[in-house]
Amino acid sequence: MSFLWSRAGAIAQKEVYHVMRDPFTLALSIGLPMFIVFSFGYAIEFNVKNIHIAVYDADQTQSSRRVKDTFGSSSYFILEPVSSPVEAQRVITGDRDRASLIIPGGFQKDLFSGRSSRAQILLDGSDNSTVGSILSYVQAIQNITSRRLGDFDPPAAVNLKTRFLFNPELNSRWFVIPGLAVVVMAILSILLTALTVAREWENGSMELLLTTPVEPLEIIVGKLAPYAALCILAVIFIYIISRTVFALPFEGSLWVFGFGCILFLITHLAQGLLISVVTRKQQIAMQIGLMSGLLPAQLLSGFIFPIESMPTFFRYFTMILPARWFMTISRQSYLKGSTLGEMGLSFFVLSLLCAIMVRAATSRFKKDLEP
């Protein structure tokens, strides 16, 4: 018996009716992308700002006030005066502030006498995510303060000028939002597919298909097509929001980006199908789907943590994760405008993983449908 699109279409139509009657599926496919895009887009900020810093000034001179004004004039620090060095340390211990600035007595006297004036910065070392940023800010403020107190700009032996390509303002949203397409597609494609097919096994309706003249491939295409359409609509939604609300540029080709979306989508739909066939239980399918879809897409794809900074084992482990390669395709399409040839390695590996996953899922599905 040959494959017929009419039979696959009939199964797809039945699946559409089921989706329309299922509030959980509708909420997951429509509400989840909106929640993720707006919450991640507005909440995630890699540039640390509004750092509360306790300030104790024992000198109370014009020079010490210049130091404080330099800290306060930046958009990174919020100054909070304290009455003693002990209190300056206590606010960090009590987790009220992230840093403390202590200016000792004789600060201006040392400056005018030609000696090096000293001040102390205390940092909360338990928060590694902000310490590095604070140190870089303090270094820049130190250079500005030295020029202000000395009333001159010392000549530089080497003058390096920095220019940031593809993201001139180092806007965190430009880095985060292209990766949201990966996260949303990974969650929706695996969860929706795994849950719907596992539900068919639980309800016994999958066995009913065995009594009808339907090819296994027709069942696969018919059941997965509606969920593929929902995932594509979610990606289109993310693209529109990124361009209109967040003013994100898109420098690449929509056709190349779309091709990457299709490869990634097919891979994860097949993975969700494989999970459902192996587990045949909705609860177990959801747990495995979250572990194999959400966690790799967020933690091991380069979405937040750079792959180059991971231990050697995990750097190699990420090579078998489709999310890692599609993350590269998405970000380079948005920000760099890379061509298909320039992203050839990512497309090749993603295509290979797609073929392997489709082969594994269809083989297992056909085997389980055999009487």
Side-chain angles (χ1 to χ4, degrees):
M1 186 169 53
S2 60
F3 178 89
L4 289 179
W5 285 103
S6 59
R7 289 197 291 258
I11 297 175
Q13 186 178 15
K14 174 258 181 187
E15 203 65 31
V16 170
Y17 291 150
H18 177 76
V19 170
M20 299 301 294
R21 294 192 304 264
D22 186 3
F24 174 77
T25 302
L26 287 176
L28 187 65
S29 58
I30 298 176
L32 184 64
M34 295 181 61
F35 173 77
I36 289 180
V37 170
F38 285 104
S39 61
F40 278 55
Y42 284 109
I44 294 183
E45 177 61 63
F46 294 108
N47 298 321
V48 182
K49 296 182 179 180
N50 300 323
I51 304 166
H52 289 264
I53 178 171
V55 179
Y56 171 68
D57 183 5
D59 199 44
Q60 296 293 334
T61 59
Q62 181 180 4
S63 298
S64 65
R65 285 193 294 271
R66 281 192 178 184
V67 175
K68 293 185 292 184
D69 290 342
T70 305
F71 275 88
S73 61
S74 69
S75 61
Y76 302 109
F77 293 98
I78 299 176
L79 273 58
E80 297 181 352
V82 294
S83 58
S84 68
V86 175
E87 185 179 358
Q89 184 172 355
R90 187 183 300 121
V91 294
I92 298 180
T93 305
D95 204 28
R96 285 171 46 197
D97 295 332
R98 295 298 182 190
S100 293
L101 170 64
I102 300 177
I103 303 177
F107 180 83
Q108 180 171 274
K109 180 180 178 182
D110 291 340
L111 179 66
F112 288 169
S113 63
R115 296 190 297 268
S116 175
S117 299
R118 297 180 180 273
Q120 186 179 35
I121 296 286
L122 302 178
L123 298 177
D124 183 0
S126 65
D127 187 0
N128 291 341
S129 61
T130 59
V131 167
S133 299
I134 295 175
L135 285 175
S136 62
Y137 299 157
V138 169
Q139 183 63 46
I141 290 176
Q142 178 181 353
N143 296 334
I144 297 174
T145 304
S146 298
R147 293 196 297 267
R148 287 184 177 181
L149 294 179
D151 293 325
F152 73 97
D153 291 332
V158 178
N159 188 9
L160 297 177
K161 293 186 178 181
T162 304
R163 179 186 177 190
F164 298 105
L165 301 178
F166 313 120
N167 189 359
E169 299 179 359
L170 297 182
N171 192 329
S172 297
R173 292 171 183 169
W174 288 23
F175 177 77
V176 170
I177 293 177
L180 293 180
V182 184
V183 176
V184 170
M185 289 182 68
I187 298 174
L188 289 183
S189 57
I190 290 182
L191 278 186
L192 291 178
T193 306
L195 288 177
T196 185
V197 180
R199 182 171 56 244
E200 297 281 359
W201 288 112
E202 282 187 344
N203 297 338
S205 56
M206 186 64 71
E207 283 78 359
L208 296 177
L209 293 174
L210 296 176
T211 62
T212 60
V214 181
E215 282 287 310
L217 187 58
E218 294 170 350
I219 300 175
I220 294 174
V221 173
K223 284 197 166 294
L224 300 189
Y227 303 104
L230 288 175
C231 293
I232 292 174
L233 289 176
V235 174
I236 294 175
F237 169 78
I238 293 174
Y239 175 80
I240 294 175
I241 294 300
S242 68
R243 302 281 284 141
T244 57
V245 177
F246 296 103
L248 197 70
F250 188 89
E251 305 293 344
S253 167
L254 286 174
W255 294 106
V256 173
F257 177 66
F259 178 47
C261 289
I262 296 299
L263 284 176
F264 183 70
L265 177 59
I266 294 175
T267 306
H268 274 65
L269 288 174
Q271 183 176 342
L273 177 64
L274 182 61
I275 291 172
S276 66
V277 173
V278 172
T279 61
R280 299 196 180 190
K281 299 291 183 181
Q282 291 188 73
Q283 186 174 3
I284 301 176
M286 176 176 285
Q287 294 173 355
I288 297 179
L290 287 174
M291 287 189 296
S292 62
L294 176 61
L295 295 182
Q298 282 192 329
L299 302 179
L300 299 176
S301 66
F303 175 57
I304 296 178
F305 308 108
I307 293 177
E308 295 78 8
S309 302
M310 296 179 183
T312 303
F313 169 79
F314 287 101
R315 287 204 304 269
Y316 285 104
F317 179 73
T318 59
M319 293 182 179
I320 65 173
L321 301 177
R324 178 241 171 105
W325 303 104
F326 184 51
M327 187 70 68
T328 301
I329 294 171
S330 181
R331 282 181 172 153
Q332 291 192 8
S333 295
Y334 265 91
L335 302 179
K336 292 186 177 182
S338 300
T339 63
L340 181 62
E342 292 170 337
M343 296 184 290
L345 177 61
S346 297
F347 275 99
F348 172 76
V349 178
L350 187 57
S351 301
L352 181 61
L353 294 174
C354 178
I356 294 174
M357 190 60 67
V358 169
R359 176 66 178 173
T362 54
S363 299
R364 182 61 186 266
F365 188 76
K366 291 177 181 179
K367 180 180 179 181
D368 282 14
L369 283 183
E370 292 177 356

